């Protein structure tokens, strides 16, 4: 891709995935706009990238439509990620539809959407499946209104390894356990957000035609709860144990921490079913290396669990 003609707009640019995309694009010399809520935070995050002259910031939110409409002008590609946890179930699809419609109307030729493996495995079943399926449906409809001009690529990742920073990190640090309500043998398919960022960077920097209308499911490693406990024990050098709660106790514990009924019910459902149908080693074709294992991720982040 010619960096003189292309300019990529990255939403959620200060998040796990967005920040990796910004760094990856700038490293390739591609002019990049990072859409952020807090400019100071962004300046602290992207000190090196700012020095290259390839990065600019636009300060805005999912609600500041006027800011987005003006800022997207002159861009050819858009990475679209909406973090809508805690909002109404229709919020993600409404925001994505609004942003995508404006982007396509302003001349963006390719949108790379961050969805979820739940869409492949469950469709609308479970609230996360509903949220992402509804959003995808609106994006596909917009893209298909003008297929010659509008390209859409959807990334559907499995469970993020970084989810361990939300709850498990505390129980592992405090009492060497992590809890859920699945059987010790229940599997879950994990993915490092770095792999998601790298896949998005490849798609956003290669020809629009190459990836047009692909859906990339992304799952690196299928691990049971007891296999995960064994990897934690090996890497941290102390015994970490998986503790299975009853569904009722799990539901009470997590709703007690403030999560809504719909999300906790969803997590209770998938605790024994897994998020991905299969792992996807074929993503190596796109990113030029194998997907990262859970052990690799944990070795890099072990300090957080000490
Ligand atoms: N966790 C999983 O296992 C999993 C699996 C599949 C798909 N997903 C999907 O992955 C996405 C989360 O990705 P992530 O981990 O990269 O997110 P993240 O690290 O939590 O980052 C969220 C980003 O969104 C920004 N943001 C939050 N509210 C905003 C608003 N109102 N306006 C503008 N920006 C806003 C945040 O800005 P600040 O930095 O200012 O806070 C941050 O840059 C969600 O769509 C989720 O459904 C998650």
């Amino acid at each position: 891709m010619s960096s003189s003609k292309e300019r990529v707009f990255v939403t959620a640019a200060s998040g796990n995935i967005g920040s990796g995309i910004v760094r990856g694009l700038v490293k390739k010399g591609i002019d990049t706009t990072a859409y952020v809520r807090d400019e100071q935070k962004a300046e602290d995050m992207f000190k090196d990238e700012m020095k290259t002259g390839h990065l600019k910031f636009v300060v805005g939110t999912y609600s500041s439509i006027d800011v987005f409409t003006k800022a997207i002008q002159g861009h050819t590609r858009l990475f679209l990620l909406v973090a809508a946890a805690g909002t109404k179930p229709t919020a993600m699809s409404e925001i994505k539809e609004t942003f995508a419609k404006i982007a396509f109307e302003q001349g963006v030729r390719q949108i790379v959407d961050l969805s979820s493996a739940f869409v492949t495995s469950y469709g609308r079943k479970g609230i996360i499946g509903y949220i992402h399926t509804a959003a995808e449906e609106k994006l596909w409809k917009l893209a298909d209104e003008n297929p010659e001009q509008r390209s859409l690529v959807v990334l559907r990742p499995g469970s993020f390894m970084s989810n361990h920073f939300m709850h498990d990190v505390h129980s592992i640090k405090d009492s060497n356990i992590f809890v859920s309500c699945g059987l010790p043998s229940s599997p879950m398919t994990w993915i490092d957000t770095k792999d998601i960022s790298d896949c998005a960077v490849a798609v956003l920097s290669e020809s629009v035609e190459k990836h047009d209308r692909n859906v990339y499911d992304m799952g690196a490693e299928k691990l049971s709860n007891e296999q995960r406990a064994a990897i934690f024990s090996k890497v941290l050098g102390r015994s970490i144990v998986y503790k299975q709660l009853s569904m009722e106790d799990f539901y009470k514990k997590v709703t007690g921490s403030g999560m809504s009924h719909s999300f906790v019910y969803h997590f209770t459902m998938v605790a024994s079913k897994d998020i991905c149908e299969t792992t996807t080693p074929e993503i190596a074709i796109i990113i030029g290396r194998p997907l990262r294992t859970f052990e690799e991720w944990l070795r890099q982040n072990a300090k957080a669990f000490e």
Side-chain angles (χ1 to χ4, degrees):
M1 136 178 181
S2 158
S3 56
S4 58
K5 288 190 214 137
E6 302 269 4
R7 180 155 202 114
V8 183
F9 195 99
V10 180
T11 58
S14 53
N16 282 321
I17 298 169
S19 60
I21 295 174
V22 168
R23 292 196 178 98
L25 292 171
V26 170
K27 202 169 168 193
K28 282 179 176 280
I30 295 167
D31 289 337
T32 302
T33 300
Y35 194 58
V36 295
R37 292 198 285 191
D38 179 341
E39 191 161 12
Q40 186 58 55
K41 180 177 170 183
E43 284 177 6
D44 293 342
M45 283 183 96
F46 299 118
K47 283 198 179 80
D48 292 340
E49 288 72 23
M50 284 166 64
K51 290 180 200 150
T52 64
H54 288 297
L55 178 61
K56 79 169 194 188
F57 300 124
V58 170
V59 177
T61 70
Y62 299 135
S63 317
S64 46
I65 307 304
D66 291 349
V67 174
F68 178 78
T69 305
K70 196 163 167 240
I72 195 70
Q73 289 166 16
H75 291 79
T76 50
R77 319 248 193 150
L78 168 67
F79 173 73
L80 189 52
L81 184 152
V82 173
T87 57
K88 61 179 183 163
T90 51
M92 183 185 288
S93 65
E94 287 167 7
I95 295 164
K96 284 190 174 178
E97 181 182 41
T98 304
F99 275 39
K101 186 169 188 296
I102 294 167
F104 279 140
E105 284 171 359
Q106 297 296 333
V108 163
R109 290 183 301 122
Q110 180 195 59
I111 294 180
V112 178
D113 173 51
L114 194 286
S115 179
S116 163
F118 283 115
V119 178
T120 304
S121 310
Y122 299 98
R124 284 173 180 258
K125 187 171 157 192
I127 198 66
I128 301 183
Y130 166 77
I131 286 172
H132 282 288
T133 304
E136 274 196 37
E137 283 169 356
K138 289 181 174 168
L139 295 180
W140 288 118
K141 185 166 180 286
L142 281 169
D144 288 341
E145 281 171 12
N146 189 349
E148 296 306 315
Q149 300 292 322
R150 299 178 175 187
S151 180
L152 179 62
V153 181
V154 175
L155 309 185
R156 290 185 184 162
S159 225
F160 295 177
M161 294 177 188
S162 56
N163 289 349
H164 290 93
F165 291 136
M166 289 186 216
H167 299 289
D168 299 335
V169 70
H170 305 297
S171 62
I172 287 174
K173 277 168 83 163
D174 296 346
S175 36
N176 294 324
I177 59 167
F178 61 96
V179 299
S180 183
C181 61
L183 290 167
S185 59
S186 293
M188 184 63 72
T189 301
W190 298 92
I191 184 89
D192 188 338
T193 49
K194 170 150 183 35
D195 290 342
I196 306 172
S197 302
D198 284 0
C199 184
V201 169
V203 174
L204 289 161
S205 60
E206 295 176 353
S207 83
V208 169
E209 294 71 27
K210 174 173 174 178
H211 296 280
D212 185 31
R213 283 167 171 72
N214 270 282
V215 172
Y216 294 125
D217 282 3
M218 301 190 74
E221 209 178 9
K222 200 180 265 287
L223 291 170
S224 68
N225 291 312
E226 54 199 357
Q227 284 173 320
R228 221 157 19 108
I231 295 170
F232 267 119
S233 303
K234 179 179 163 192
V235 173
L236 301 183
R238 62 186 200 273
S239 176
I240 307 294
V241 175
Y242 170 66
K243 187 175 168 202
Q244 182 184 2
L245 301 180
S246 70
M247 277 193 288
E248 294 76 8
D249 286 349
F250 176 78
Y251 180 87
K252 271 190 220 146
K253 180 178 159 61
V254 187
T255 46
S257 72
M259 204 180 269
S260 72
H261 158 79
S262 298
F263 274 87
V264 184
Y265 186 82
H266 179 101
F267 291 127
T268 308
M269 173 187 83
V270 295
S272 302
K273 293 192 179 73
D274 198 2
I275 174 172
C276 289
E277 287 175 338
T278 60
T279 55
T280 60
E282 64 276 14
I283 293 292
I285 295 167
I286 301 170
I287 63 175
R289 59 170 176 79
L291 292 169
R292 280 156 53 92
T293 64
F294 179 62
E295 185 171 334
E296 285 170 327
W297 177 85
L298 187 56
R299 286 198 184 283
Q300 198 177 341
N301 294 284
K303 274 206 163 16
F305 297 88
E306 282 166 3

